[in-house]
Amino acid sequence: MEIKQGWLIDARQVPSPNHDKRPEGELPSLLIVHNISLPPGQFGGPYIDQLFTNTLSEQDHPFFSEIVNLRVSAHCLIRRDGEIVQYVPFTERAWHAGISLYKGREKCNDFSIGIELEGTDECDFTQQQYQQLVEITQSLIALYPAIKENITGHSDVAPNRKTDPGPHFDWAYYRSLLTK
């Protein structure tokens, strides 16, 4: 996958306002894998894009009243069918990890890239999602080599707050695909 000026060339681009500059001189050195579904447990539809662009309507689902005022984003989303949507260029800081800690370093958004997989803690991810995640990861490692040794889940950087990508994310399978 080709990356140009922080954007994946072949991804659908939906720019999010929920990002800012990384600290001076900071390059991405961590990849954080997440999962998301909106409404919870439902796939497809416009709601993830709307959440990340601050256009979610609380009238569309009762759960949305709990999250409508959140200002969050991720660099990319990989949908169940493998479609990649990019919200924030990799050169910028997306607001995906929140209060977080990795190897003694706080504020993981400063030095990480966040990739959301459309899914839940209760279901397996698709082959298309793993394949796209591997391709994105390999492209990111080519640009930011430190990522190779620093790939983790949201639950690992925010263990008391988050559970994603969840027990159905097959870390061994993903890592085996990365080495092929």
Side-chain angles (χ1 to χ4, degrees):
M1 282 187 189
E2 185 179 351
I3 300 172
K4 187 173 185 179
Q5 296 179 332
W7 292 95
L8 288 165
I9 298 303
D10 294 326
R12 181 166 62 90
Q13 296 179 6
V14 179
S16 171
N18 303 327
H19 73 281
D20 56 8
K21 299 274 185 214
R22 292 185 188 278
E24 184 73 29
E26 188 75 65
L27 293 176
S29 58
L30 172 63
L31 175 63
I32 301 175
V33 180
H34 303 257
N35 78 42
I36 189 171
S37 62
L38 286 177
Q42 296 181 29
F43 306 132
Y47 300 117
I48 297 169
D49 289 355
Q50 290 174 7
L51 175 66
F52 290 165
T53 58
N54 306 333
T55 59
L56 191 64
S57 172
E58 62 186 298
Q59 285 77 33
D60 287 350
H61 190 275
F63 175 73
F64 295 167
S65 66
E66 297 176 34
I67 63 170
V68 71
N69 292 316
L70 292 179
R71 296 298 173 250
V72 295
S73 62
H75 290 90
C76 294
L77 165 70
I78 304 174
R79 293 215 173 253
R80 306 290 293 172
D81 64 3
E83 178 193 23
I84 299 169
V85 184
Q86 188 168 2
Y87 302 96
V88 176
F90 300 123
T91 53
E92 301 284 317
R93 175 174 49 197
W95 302 344
H96 62 95
I99 298 168
S100 51
L101 178 70
Y102 181 75
K103 293 185 178 178
R105 251 185 112 181
E106 296 180 332
K107 300 180 183 178
C108 292
N109 287 343
D110 288 353
F111 58 96
S112 68
I113 290 173
I115 307 288
E116 296 274 3
L117 301 177
E118 186 177 36
T120 70
D121 288 3
E122 291 81 37
C123 68
D124 292 341
F125 296 92
T126 69
Q127 181 61 40
Q128 295 95 325
Q129 287 177 299
Y130 282 108
Q131 191 57 49
Q132 295 289 53
L133 180 60
V134 165
E135 289 188 33
I136 293 171
T137 303
Q138 290 169 334
S139 295
L140 290 171
I141 290 170
L143 279 177
Y144 309 111
I147 286 175
K148 184 175 184 175
E149 302 302 322
N150 297 290
I151 300 172
T152 196
H154 197 192
S155 58
D156 297 314
V157 300
N160 297 322
R161 292 187 311 110
K162 298 297 180 177
T163 59
D164 58 313
H168 287 269
F169 184 76
D170 190 338
W171 284 102
Y173 177 65
Y174 165 62
R175 290 182 194 285
S176 75
L177 292 175
L178 275 178
T179 60
K180 289 184 179 181

